[in-house]
Amino acid sequence: MASVKTVSVEDLTCPVCCEIYKNPAVLSCSHSICKECVQQFWSLRNTLECPVCRRRSSRDDPPCNLVLKNLCESLTADRASGSELDCSFHNEKLKLFCLDDEQPVCLVCRDSQKHTNHRFRPVDEVVPSYREQLKTALESLEEKLKHKEKSKEECDKTVQQLKTQSESTERQIKEEFKKLHQFLHDEEEALVSALMKEEEQKSEMMKNRIEEMNRQISALADTIKDIKEKMNASDTSFLLSFKGIMGRAQSSQQQDPQRISGALINVADYLRNLTFRVWKKMQQLVYNTVVTLDPSTAHPNLTVSDDLTSVTYNWVSADPEAMSSIPCVLGSEGFNSGTHWWDVEVGDNSCWSVGIMTAPKQRKKYNFLDTEFWCVEYVNGGFLSPISKKTCSCFTIKTKLQMVRVQLDWEQGKVTFSDSKKNTPLCSFTSRFKKTLFPFLYTNCSNSALRILSVE
C-alpha cells in the first residue's frame, strides 16, 4: 500500500509573506497566495501576474482555496491550543533540537544521515535561551517604538510652530509694506508668495515625515504583537517560527530618525533689513541696522521685537535647564571677515552685556561655556567689566551709559567698545579670530530693553 505524504508547514506557507496562509486565493495558474499579498503585489506592479510564475491571472478577484484555508486554520488552531507538533518526515514527537541546523527534530531524525555528527539538546533545555534572545530583541523594539513616538510628537510640535512662524512673519511683512508707496505692492505680494511657498514645501516635508513615522510605528507595533504571540506558543511551535520572527525583529532594527535640518522657516531671511532691501528699488530714505537678532537663539525669558532689533527680559520659564542658563540672544548673521560696527541702546537697563562670540555647538541649549567671547558687562552700581574667556577686570564709570558702540576688525583681530554718545573709548581686546563671530545681547533685567540702533 502506497504511503500518504504528510503535509508539512512549508506546504501551508505563502510564498510571498512566508507565513501560514491567511485567506488563501488560488490563481488561474494553480498557485495559491494570501489574498492580501496578491492584491498588494498587483497594486505595486500594476499587473495581474502571479508572484511565483509570472503567469497572468484571468481574474482580478481570485476565488478562495477552501481546502487549503481549512488546513491552515486547523494548523493555527493546533498551535494556539499548545499541542505538540510531530515531525513532518517521521510522525514522531519533536523532542530534540539540532544545534547545527537550529531546528527541532525527532529521535529518528537524530539518527538519520542528514544529521550525521550533529549536536543535539533536549527541546526544553534550549527554549529558555532562545526565548531570552527574543525577549531582548522585543525590549529593544519596544524602546525603538517609544523613541519613534517621541520623535513624532516633536514633529507635530514642529508643524504647529512652523504654522505659527508663518502667520507671524506674514503679519510683520504686511505691516512693513503698509509704510511704503502703492507701487511697491507687487514687491509685497512676491515676498508673501515666497513665504507661502516655503511654508507649503516645508509643511509637506513634515507631513511626509510624519506619515513615514506612522508607517514605521505601525510596522513596529505589528512586529511586536506577532513576537508576543509567538512567544506564547508552545516550545516546538516557538522554535519552528523562531528564525522567521527573529529575522523580522532584527530587520526592524533601524536607526532613530535624525532631526530634519532646516525644518522651520528662516524668519531672518524674510525680515532682515526688509525696508533697506526695498529701499534699493525705491531710492527713498529708509533705516538699516547692521545687526538683526535671531529669535530662534533667544533664551525662553527673552522676547525679541517684531523687527528683530530689540530684546526684553520677561521671566516666564521655570524650566530648570533654562533657569541655569544665560538669558542671551545672538545676531542672525555672523562675521568672518571685514570691519563692522553697530550701536546698542542700553537705556535704563541695570544689568546687561554686549559683545561678540563664536557660535555655540547647541544654539538652543543656552549654554555658552563652549564658546569664545569678548564683551563689556554692566551691573547695577556703576561697575563696567571688560570680559573675555581668559580675562576679566572691572572699573567704575562716573556717568551711566546710554549707548555702546561695538567695533570689530576681523582681519586685525581687534574688537573695541566705546560710549557712542560721547565718542569716548571704554576698552578693547586683541585676539586671533579663526571662527565666525556673532553679535550677542544679554540681559536679566526687565526695566528696559536693549535695542540695536539703525544706521542712517
Side-chain angles (χ1 to χ4, degrees), residues 20-40:
I20 301 300
Y21 283 107
K22 298 176 182 176
N23 193 19
V26 60
L27 306 183
S28 56
C29 60
S30 299
H31 285 118
S32 293
I33 314 290
C34 289
K35 190 166 185 179
E36 183 179 354
C37 293
V38 74
Q39 293 294 348
Q40 289 180 354

Side-chain angles (χ1 to χ4, degrees), residues 163-420:
K163 182 66 176 177
T164 302
Q165 275 193 317
S166 174
E167 293 173 350
S168 175
T169 305
E170 180 183 3
R171 175 181 57 81
Q172 295 172 48
I173 290 173
K174 290 186 175 182
E175 287 177 356
E176 289 291 339
F177 272 95
K178 288 178 181 179
K179 302 174 185 178
L180 304 177
H181 294 291
Q182 185 60 39
F183 71 90
L184 295 175
H185 178 74
D186 293 339
E187 184 73 12
E188 176 188 5
E189 291 300 317
L191 194 56
V192 172
S193 176
L195 173 65
M196 293 297 97
K197 183 178 180 181
E198 183 176 355
E199 180 202 357
E200 180 181 358
Q201 291 174 345
K202 292 188 175 180
S203 296
E204 184 65 23
M205 177 179 67
M206 295 304 303
K207 178 182 177 182
N208 294 337
R209 179 66 175 260
I210 292 174
E211 290 176 354
E212 176 62 23
M213 294 182 69
N214 280 331
R215 288 192 292 269
Q216 293 178 5
I217 290 172
S218 177
L220 270 177
D222 290 342
T223 300
I224 291 172
K225 180 181 178 182
D226 291 345
I227 290 176
K228 289 181 177 179
E229 291 177 356
K230 302 298 182 185
M231 290 184 69
N232 293 329
S234 65
D235 292 350
T236 52
S237 298
F238 167 79
L239 292 174
L240 284 170
S241 61
F242 176 80
K243 276 189 176 181
I245 198 65
M246 191 63 182
R248 287 181 62 189
Q250 293 173 347
S251 64
S252 298
Q253 298 285 354
Q254 300 176 356
Q255 293 184 350
D256 291 332
Q258 302 295 321
R259 291 180 178 272
I260 299 179
S261 178
L264 298 179
I265 292 174
N266 189 342
V267 177
D269 280 351
Y270 293 94
L271 303 180
R272 181 175 61 248
N273 297 331
L274 176 60
T275 54
F276 179 73
R277 300 202 312 267
V278 176
W279 171 79
K280 292 180 180 180
K281 296 182 179 181
M282 63 184 297
Q283 294 298 305
Q284 292 182 4
L285 183 63
V286 295
Y287 74 90
N288 170 45
T289 53
V290 176
V291 172
T292 53
L293 303 176
D294 183 355
S296 67
T297 66
H299 186 278
N301 291 341
L302 295 181
T303 301
V304 179
S305 63
D306 288 346
D307 61 0
L308 312 180
T309 62
S310 68
V311 60
T312 306
Y313 183 88
N314 296 286
W315 196 93
V316 294
S317 176
D319 178 41
E321 184 177 11
M323 292 176 66
S324 62
S325 56
I326 302 174
C328 181
V329 61
L330 300 185
S332 61
E333 285 188 301
F335 306 121
N336 55 16
S337 64
T339 302
H340 312 273
W341 67 269
W342 59 95
D343 291 330
V344 180
E345 183 181 58
V346 296
D348 296 327
N349 198 297
S350 59
C351 185
W352 52 264
S353 181
V354 174
I356 56 173
M357 68 164 57
T358 56
K361 294 179 180 179
Q362 300 185 39
R363 291 165 69 92
K364 289 193 176 183
K365 292 298 183 182
Y366 326 111
N367 186 351
F368 301 106
L369 297 178
D370 61 336
T371 65
E372 295 181 85
F373 53 88
W374 299 264
C375 65
V376 289
E377 182 180 73
Y378 177 81
V379 293
N380 193 19
F383 292 99
L384 192 69
S385 304
I387 302 175
S388 71
K389 195 168 186 179
K390 297 180 180 180
T391 63
C392 177
S393 61
C394 301
F395 59 89
T396 304
I397 54 176
K398 295 181 180 180
T399 58
K400 193 174 185 307
L401 292 172
Q402 293 295 318
M403 290 185 289
V404 176
R405 173 164 297 179
V406 184
Q407 292 178 286
L408 170 66
D409 190 330
W410 201 92
E411 279 77 11
Q412 295 297 322
K414 187 175 183 179
V415 56
T416 303
F417 299 92
S418 59
D419 182 343
S420 57

Side-chain angles (χ1 to χ4, degrees), residues 114-141:
K114 179 180 178 182
H115 293 279
T116 301
N117 297 327
H118 284 191
R119 299 166 299 155
F120 300 90
R121 294 286 186 278
V123 165
D124 56 358
E125 288 186 11
V126 298
V127 164
S129 63
Y130 278 78
R131 288 190 185 276
E132 189 62 30
Q133 290 182 43
L134 198 56
K135 180 181 178 182
T136 302
L138 178 62
E139 291 173 351
S140 177
L141 289 177

Side-chain angles (χ1 to χ4, degrees), residues 48-191:
L48 298 181
E49 293 180 349
C50 170
V52 178
C53 64
R54 296 297 189 269
R55 180 177 174 182
R56 184 176 178 82
S57 175
S58 59
R59 299 178 58 176
D60 59 1
D61 186 20
C64 177
N65 189 332
L66 294 178
V67 175
L68 186 57
K69 180 180 180 181
N70 291 335
L71 286 173
C72 293
E73 290 178 349
S74 177
L75 176 61
T76 303
D78 289 341
R79 288 184 172 184
S81 64
S83 60
E84 294 291 339
L85 298 180
D86 294 336
C87 176
S88 59
F89 298 102
H90 308 109
N91 289 332
E92 296 288 338
K93 295 297 181 181
L94 300 173
K95 297 183 177 181
L96 299 176
F97 184 75
C98 178
L99 299 178
D100 297 282
D101 290 338
E102 294 187 341
Q103 64 179 11
V105 296
C106 68
L107 295 175
V108 180
C109 289
R110 178 191 61 184
D111 300 327
S112 66
Q113 184 178 1
K114 179 180 178 182
H115 293 279
T116 301
N117 297 327
H118 284 191
R119 299 166 299 155
F120 300 90
R121 294 286 186 278
V123 165
D124 56 358
E125 288 186 11
V126 298
V127 164
S129 63
Y130 278 78
R131 288 190 185 276
E132 189 62 30
Q133 290 182 43
L134 198 56
K135 180 181 178 182
T136 302
L138 178 62
E139 291 173 351
S140 177
L141 289 177
E142 289 175 336
E143 190 65 25
K144 289 283 184 183
L145 180 61
K146 291 180 181 178
H147 286 317
K148 288 185 180 295
E149 289 175 342
K150 184 177 180 180
S151 298
K152 179 180 176 295
E153 290 178 2
E154 292 179 356
C155 287
D156 291 335
K157 291 179 181 178
T158 300
V159 170
Q160 184 60 41
Q161 189 176 359
L162 177 65
K163 182 66 176 177
T164 302
Q165 275 193 317
S166 174
E167 293 173 350
S168 175
T169 305
E170 180 183 3
R171 175 181 57 81
Q172 295 172 48
I173 290 173
K174 290 186 175 182
E175 287 177 356
E176 289 291 339
F177 272 95
K178 288 178 181 179
K179 302 174 185 178
L180 304 177
H181 294 291
Q182 185 60 39
F183 71 90
L184 295 175
H185 178 74
D186 293 339
E187 184 73 12
E188 176 188 5
E189 291 300 317
L191 194 56

